[in-house]
Amino acid sequence: MSESTVRIGLVLPDVMGTYGDGGNAVVLRQRLRWRDIDAEIVEIDLPDPVPDSLDIYTLGGAEDSAQRLATRHLLRYPGLQTAAGRGAPVLAICAAIQVLGQWYETSSGERVEGVGLLDATTTPQLTRAIGEVTTTPLLPGLSAPLTGFENHRGGTTLGPGATGLARVSRGVGNGVGDGLEGVVQGSVLGTYMHGPALARNPELADHLLCRALGVDSLPPLDLPEVDRLRRERLRA
Ligand code: GLN
């Protein structure tokens, strides 16, 4: 590893990684390597303290009991909070939005204190949101529709400190009637989209990489197979 290697933190994939969300870290690494930028994935598992020195972090979704374990761990080892505080980009998928919020209620109605990086609270809804979701991004710098697969019972309400990542055109999204999907607050970006989200939304992947590298843009990649996959998903 050289000093310029971009270090991607894959946070707690042993408890938070439903639907192959760990693939988001692989996509980030590969999109850097294709551009001849050294990159490596640093996997942080449950016994490990969370380092605050990495360049970018990703967290996946989880079932209620697993997300409780993750919440406790992140509060005990606040490296992620320190890193986000200095502007390191953090991608939070599904349960990770809930965990990084102020608090969330599990499907059995128990309220759990969150990590507090996001001005967001989550309560269980009457029906589970399952299926494809398509959205129009609200985040400046993104223009292509975002697509993914959602499966969650929690509905997330954003407070004034946070904004939506996108507006839902198909599917449920945050699920509290405001038409929003996902959340953005400072360097933390959350979405209910599995997929993995970054494999299905390369523009979002490059947006996060630009933030991690402190650059305005990256050389485009010509990947017809990704374009084909996106066209199929958007048509379906
Ligand atoms: N357990 C959470 C919910 O059902 C998150 C699920 C997930 O990450 N897919 O809302």
Side-chain angles (χ1 to χ4, degrees):
M1 188 188 82
S2 82
E3 233 175 69
S4 60
T5 301
V6 177
R7 302 180 78 210
I8 302 158
L10 177 56
V11 183
L12 304 177
D14 45 352
V15 278
M16 299 190 76
T18 34
Y19 304 115
D21 293 327
N24 289 320
V26 176
V27 171
L28 291 171
R29 181 181 63 187
Q30 190 57 37
R31 293 184 77 82
L32 287 166
R33 287 184 175 171
W34 273 326
R35 291 162 166 130
D36 294 322
I37 300 171
D38 279 341
E40 64 161 24
I41 295 173
V42 178
E43 189 172 316
I44 302 140
D45 291 313
L46 256 193
D48 309 327
V50 183
D52 61 14
S53 55
L54 306 182
D55 298 297
I56 181 165
Y57 295 79
T58 68
L59 300 89
E63 301 77 23
D64 285 6
S65 54
Q67 80 184 67
R68 289 197 60 149
L69 289 174
T71 311
R72 200 178 310 145
H73 192 78
L74 294 172
L75 286 170
R76 178 159 178 221
Y77 297 107
L80 184 74
Q81 295 87 307
T82 307
R86 67 169 162 79
V90 176
L91 174 68
I93 305 295
C94 199
I97 296 181
Q98 305 175 5
V99 168
L100 297 190
Q102 304 298 321
W103 52 259
Y104 59 90
E105 272 175 26
T106 62
S107 31
S108 54
E110 197 181 342
R111 187 174 286 201
V112 180
E113 176 99 5
V115 169
L117 277 176
L118 293 171
D119 190 5
T121 55
T122 301
T123 46
Q125 305 300 298
L126 286 178
T127 50
R128 176 166 282 278
I130 306 179
E132 286 291 312
V133 57
T134 309
T135 69
T136 305
L138 297 170
L139 184 66
L142 297 182
S143 55
L146 297 163
T147 85
F149 175 78
E150 60 183 336
N151 182 357
H152 56 103
R153 178 142 179 240
T156 298
T157 304
L158 304 185
T163 54
L165 170 66
R167 187 156 293 287
V168 176
S169 44
R170 184 171 62 133
V172 175
N174 293 352
V176 289
D178 56 11
L180 296 174
E181 200 296 306
V183 50
V184 181
Q185 185 167 346
S187 63
V188 184
L189 199 150
T191 173
Y192 272 100
M193 291 184 297
H194 298 283
L198 299 186
R200 289 180 59 164
N201 301 286
E203 194 183 40
L204 184 59
D206 282 354
H207 178 87
L208 289 163
L209 289 175
C210 283
R211 285 185 178 209
L213 297 168
V215 297
D216 290 334
S217 64
L218 284 162
L221 295 171
D222 184 23
L223 299 167
E225 63 280 15
V226 174
D227 298 339
R228 200 164 47 239
L229 172 73
R230 277 185 60 76
R231 274 198 304 276
E232 276 169 22
R233 295 293 184 182
L234 287 167
R235 238 191 344 250

PDB file of all heavy atoms in Angstrom, residues 66 103 115 131 139 209:
ATOM      1  N   ALA A  66     -29.676  -7.362  14.148  1.00  0.00           N
ATOM      2  CA  ALA A  66     -28.303  -7.100  13.725  1.00  0.00           C
ATOM      3  C   ALA A  66     -28.006  -5.603  13.762  1.00  0.00           C
ATOM      4  O   ALA A  66     -26.904  -5.181  14.138  1.00  0.00           O
ATOM      5  CB  ALA A  66     -28.084  -7.658  12.325  1.00  0.00           C
ATOM      6  N   TRP A 103     -32.801   8.365  16.499  1.00  0.00           N
ATOM      7  CA  TRP A 103     -33.308   7.135  17.109  1.00  0.00           C
ATOM      8  C   TRP A 103     -34.160   6.397  16.085  1.00  0.00           C
ATOM      9  O   TRP A 103     -34.584   6.976  15.085  1.00  0.00           O
ATOM     10  CB  TRP A 103     -34.109   7.399  18.394  1.00  0.00           C
ATOM     11  CG  TRP A 103     -35.229   8.418  18.285  1.00  0.00           C
ATOM     12  CD1 TRP A 103     -35.186   9.724  18.692  1.00  0.00           C
ATOM     13  CD2 TRP A 103     -36.560   8.226  17.732  1.00  0.00           C
ATOM     14  NE1 TRP A 103     -36.377  10.356  18.422  1.00  0.00           N
ATOM     15  CE2 TRP A 103     -37.250   9.458  17.849  1.00  0.00           C
ATOM     16  CE3 TRP A 103     -37.242   7.135  17.163  1.00  0.00           C
ATOM     17  CZ2 TRP A 103     -38.565   9.638  17.414  1.00  0.00           C
ATOM     18  CZ3 TRP A 103     -38.562   7.310  16.723  1.00  0.00           C
ATOM     19  CH2 TRP A 103     -39.195   8.557  16.861  1.00  0.00           C
ATOM     20  N   VAL A 115     -26.829   6.798  16.329  1.00  0.00           N
ATOM     21  CA  VAL A 115     -25.483   7.364  16.377  1.00  0.00           C
ATOM     22  C   VAL A 115     -25.520   8.902  16.313  1.00  0.00           C
ATOM     23  O   VAL A 115     -24.602   9.576  16.761  1.00  0.00           O
ATOM     24  CB  VAL A 115     -24.655   6.747  15.214  1.00  0.00           C
ATOM     25  CG1 VAL A 115     -23.339   7.448  15.004  1.00  0.00           C
ATOM     26  CG2 VAL A 115     -24.436   5.253  15.479  1.00  0.00           C
ATOM     27  N   GLY A 131     -39.664  -3.934  -3.063  1.00  0.00           N
ATOM     28  CA  GLY A 131     -39.721  -3.886  -4.526  1.00  0.00           C
ATOM     29  C   GLY A 131     -38.754  -2.883  -5.106  1.00  0.00           C
ATOM     30  O   GLY A 131     -37.937  -2.285  -4.394  1.00  0.00           O
ATOM     31  N   LEU A 139     -29.921  15.859  -5.135  1.00  0.00           N
ATOM     32  CA  LEU A 139     -28.575  16.292  -4.743  1.00  0.00           C
ATOM     33  C   LEU A 139     -27.878  16.952  -5.936  1.00  0.00           C
ATOM     34  O   LEU A 139     -27.743  16.330  -6.998  1.00  0.00           O
ATOM     35  CB  LEU A 139     -27.786  15.065  -4.276  1.00  0.00           C
ATOM     36  CG  LEU A 139     -26.390  15.302  -3.730  1.00  0.00           C
ATOM     37  CD1 LEU A 139     -26.446  16.103  -2.436  1.00  0.00           C
ATOM     38  CD2 LEU A 139     -25.679  13.967  -3.488  1.00  0.00           C
ATOM     39  N   LEU A 209     -16.786   9.262  -4.758  1.00  0.00           N
ATOM     40  CA  LEU A 209     -15.328   9.214  -4.957  1.00  0.00           C
ATOM     41  C   LEU A 209     -14.751  10.622  -5.116  1.00  0.00           C
ATOM     42  O   LEU A 209     -13.674  10.917  -4.595  1.00  0.00           O
ATOM     43  CB  LEU A 209     -14.981   8.356  -6.174  1.00  0.00           C
ATOM     44  CG  LEU A 209     -15.200   6.849  -5.967  1.00  0.00           C
ATOM     45  CD1 LEU A 209     -14.955   6.087  -7.259  1.00  0.00           C
ATOM     46  CD2 LEU A 209     -14.295   6.317  -4.857  1.00  0.00           C
TER      47      LEU A 209
END
